[in-house]
Amino acid sequence: KKKLKISGRELLSVPMQVFGLDQLQVLEMSPERESCLRYRMEQLTPEIGRLRNLTCLYVDSNNLKKIPAEIGTLSRLERLTLSNNSLSSLPAEMGALQRLQSLHLANNSLTKLPAPLCQLRSLTFLDVSDNKIDTIPSSIRHLEKLETLLLLFNSLKSLPEDVCLLRNLHTLWLGNNHLRSLPAAFGELVNLDWGYNYCSCNFEGNPLESPPPEVCSRGPEGITDYFSSLRRI
């Protein structure tokens, strides 16, 4: 079989027989698509690294506290969902997942955007909402294919100028952080769907002062004009 779904609210671990399915491409161990249940699995075993043909791994809504370093051997992985767990860190080996396009990490206990994530050059979707992240590393500029970045409900106090180099961004959610200012080049993110999707760039719930909320609502031109006027003063 190429696809396997394991279900059950008493799920505590991956049955060892699964690791013999070396042709497996999709492994789902998440109740998220069916109900509001949570499973009880606390960690993936290192044997997950045997499934070298996996392209999709869904482990949302468990109780994962740790991801093994062997996750980095899944070189064909394109989609990884780890939302709604208890993760406080990620292994550096995740930087080896160079085919990864979509990564879901919402509602965990991450305090920073892990540096290995900024090595994932194929990433187009990254959701780290509802964590405790307070800084974004400047190395985020390497995610040149990134189209969707969800950062709402974190503890961000500032954004690095390097965020403005993510020219392929179409959706950027920044709501409910502690941002008082935006980078001066923020208006250069012209591919955001400013006028078409009201939530494509979301600032709500931030104590913005520079530029103020009314300027942000005017989109990239308003933000660019605001910072230009400051430079003339």
Side-chain angles (χ1 to χ4, degrees):
K1 289 184 177 180
K2 299 295 181 68
K3 182 177 181 178
L4 176 64
K5 177 177 174 63
I6 303 174
S7 60
R9 70 172 65 193
E10 298 303 317
L11 181 66
L12 295 175
S13 62
V14 185
M16 294 304 292
Q17 298 94 319
V18 171
F19 303 120
L21 303 175
D22 56 4
Q23 297 303 309
L24 196 64
Q25 294 179 350
V26 179
L27 177 57
E28 182 172 347
M29 297 176 288
S30 168
E32 199 167 73
R33 292 161 185 76
E34 297 177 354
S35 66
C36 295
L37 291 175
R38 282 183 89 102
Y39 292 169
R40 297 169 55 196
M41 186 161 51
E42 294 191 358
Q43 70 176 50
L44 290 174
T45 62
E47 284 78 11
I48 193 72
R50 297 181 189 175
L51 303 178
R52 300 295 178 87
N53 286 302
L54 275 187
T55 59
C56 299
L57 177 59
Y58 303 97
V59 207
D60 300 283
S61 298
N62 275 272
N63 192 30
L64 292 177
K65 295 179 171 63
K66 184 179 180 181
I67 302 298
E70 286 75 9
I71 194 82
T73 65
L74 304 180
S75 59
R76 298 188 180 186
L77 205 61
E78 298 175 1
R79 184 176 177 87
L80 176 59
T81 66
L82 297 167
S83 296
N84 304 320
N85 279 289
S86 302
L87 298 170
S88 58
S89 63
L90 297 171
E93 287 77 6
M94 282 188 66
L97 302 178
Q98 288 302 312
R99 293 193 187 183
L100 198 64
Q101 299 172 18
S102 181
L103 178 58
H104 298 241
L105 292 166
N107 194 22
N108 276 284
S109 299
L110 299 173
T111 57
K112 61 182 179 179
L113 192 64
L117 301 191
C118 298
Q119 302 172 27
L120 303 178
R121 302 298 180 91
S122 294
L123 209 61
T124 61
F125 182 98
L126 175 58
D127 183 1
V128 287
S129 303
D130 204 2
N131 278 280
K132 302 173 183 177
I133 296 170
D134 58 8
T135 57
I136 301 295
S138 61
S139 54
I140 196 172
R141 67 184 180 276
H142 297 310
L143 300 182
E144 51 197 34
K145 294 185 180 180
L146 198 63
E147 297 178 1
T148 299
L149 177 57
L150 308 184
L151 289 162
L152 62 165
F153 290 101
N154 275 288
S155 302
L156 294 173
K157 295 180 180 179
S158 64
L159 292 176
E161 288 280 348
D162 301 81
V163 167
C164 304
L165 298 175
L166 302 177
R167 300 300 169 80
N168 284 311
L169 273 184
H170 288 268
T171 301
L172 175 60
W173 290 1
L174 295 166
N176 293 94
N177 279 280
H178 306 306
L179 296 173
R180 292 188 177 276
S181 64
L182 297 177
F186 197 85
E188 296 178 15
L189 294 175
V190 295
N191 284 324
L192 291 175
D193 302 323
W194 292 90
Y196 306 100
N197 183 346
Y198 75 95
C199 61
S200 65
C201 192
N202 180 286
F203 305 103
E204 292 181 3
N206 286 285
L208 275 176
E209 298 173 355
S210 178
E214 60 269 22
V215 171
C216 293
S217 65
R218 299 174 197 161
E221 292 183 2
I223 292 174
T224 298
D225 289 345
Y226 172 83
F227 284 113
S228 295
S229 66
L230 291 183
R231 286 193 290 269
R232 290 195 295 268
I233 296 176

